Amino acid sequence: MRFEDQRKIMIEKNLISRGINDKALLKAFDKVPRENFVPDEWRQYAYQDHPLQIACKQTISQPFIIAYMMQLLEIKSDDIVLEIGTGSGYQTALLAELSKEVYTVERFSELSMSARKVLRSLNYTNIFYRIGDGTKGWDKAIPVQTEFDKIVVCAGSPDIPVSLINQLRLEGRLVIPVGNTTEQKVILLIKHEHENEIIELAPCTFVPLIGQEGWSA
């Protein structure tokens, strides 16, 4: 079966049937070739709904959890988005389809460079890359960007890093897995002027968020 056909089946079976109804998001999933972002030995499993191993002992998350977290962000076409954990670059591509600009931070240079190569081959020009501590966000990075409309974190953290909250615009949305190193819950934070709204949602399992405001290496 062609990858294009597998992609459509995945969208119907694992996204739409489980409550993913954002039309722009579904269109992005239909456009982005997930098979390009997984190692060759896993390409045949690219559209199954489970995580896949990539380099540096990291994973590419299952399509549903990516879609679930992105739908919570309510991304608009003029949004500036910060992604913590570039990984394979698959979610980065989806974010780039939906938003004005994506700023993505990855701890492992090998992953960042590999993702950059694939994303450039797909002609994305609205993505900016950083190699460093994701818990510090885009702090002191180039190009200068001090506030973001939306922030998504692709690793499990013991708490919500203060640096990320500080870089979120008022009324902006931040989605992050919070818990221990083996299991977490998806947390949605909506930033308000006086008191942030924090909503605890679905259980999940992500690799640990390593950094100054996360877990120790």
Side-chain angles (χ1 to χ4, degrees):
M1 185 185 297
R2 300 183 310 160
F3 283 125
E4 292 86 350
D5 297 328
Q6 293 180 39
R7 195 178 306 143
K8 293 184 185 302
I9 291 172
M10 180 269 290
I11 290 168
E12 289 288 339
K13 179 180 178 182
N14 297 316
L15 303 188
I16 295 174
S17 69
R18 298 174 70 184
I20 304 302
N21 53 24
D22 182 311
K23 292 182 179 179
L25 179 58
L26 292 170
K27 184 178 179 181
F29 268 90
D30 192 36
K31 180 177 179 180
V32 177
R34 191 171 192 254
E35 69 273 13
N36 288 23
F37 295 90
V38 301
D40 289 342
E41 62 266 32
W42 302 120
R43 281 172 66 89
Q44 61 181 314
Y45 305 112
Y47 292 101
Q48 294 187 11
D49 194 42
H50 55 68
L52 296 173
Q53 194 74 37
I54 57 175
C56 304
K57 297 182 179 179
Q58 303 299 294
T59 58
I60 175 173
S61 297
Q62 70 181 101
F64 172 74
I65 195 66
I66 294 174
Y68 177 74
M69 292 172 68
M70 287 184 64
Q71 183 160 275
L72 289 171
L73 289 172
E74 297 183 359
I75 299 171
K76 299 179 177 60
S77 60
D78 60 348
D79 277 348
I80 307 297
V81 179
L82 175 62
E83 177 190 43
I84 306 303
T86 312
S88 69
Y90 177 61
Q91 180 177 261
T92 317
L94 294 166
L95 292 168
E97 288 288 336
L98 296 173
S99 64
K100 181 180 179 181
E101 292 177 348
V102 180
Y103 293 72
T104 184
V105 184
E106 174 54 56
R107 188 167 71 95
F108 296 101
S109 58
E110 178 184 343
L111 288 179
S112 182
M113 298 306 294
S114 175
R116 196 175 311 195
K117 182 178 179 181
V118 177
L119 290 162
R120 286 178 174 171
S121 75
L122 295 172
N123 300 314
Y124 288 105
T125 59
N126 62 334
I127 303 171
F128 302 94
Y129 306 85
R130 181 187 189 188
I131 298 169
D133 181 352
T135 69
K136 306 301 287 184
W138 201 255
D139 184 46
K140 299 177 182 177
I142 301 297
V144 175
Q145 184 65 38
T146 58
E147 286 190 319
F148 298 90
D149 301 293
K150 309 290 164 61
I151 299 176
V152 60
V153 182
C154 308
S157 179
D159 208 341
I160 306 174
V162 174
S163 292
L164 298 184
I165 298 174
N166 290 341
Q167 291 173 48
L168 185 65
R169 294 186 193 278
L170 281 177
E171 304 308 320
R173 289 175 165 243
L174 186 159
V175 175
I176 179 173
V178 174
N180 58 41
T181 55
T182 57
E183 56 184 7
Q184 308 91 33
K185 287 189 176 180
V186 174
I187 300 295
L188 168 64
L189 181 148
I190 304 173
K191 188 172 184 177
H192 301 305
E193 186 171 358
H194 299 295
E195 184 177 357
N196 297 326
E197 182 179 356
I198 297 177
I199 305 169
E200 188 176 287
L201 298 162
C204 59
T205 302
F206 280 79
V207 296
L209 179 65
I210 305 297
Q212 187 174 332
E213 298 182 39
W215 298 103
S216 299

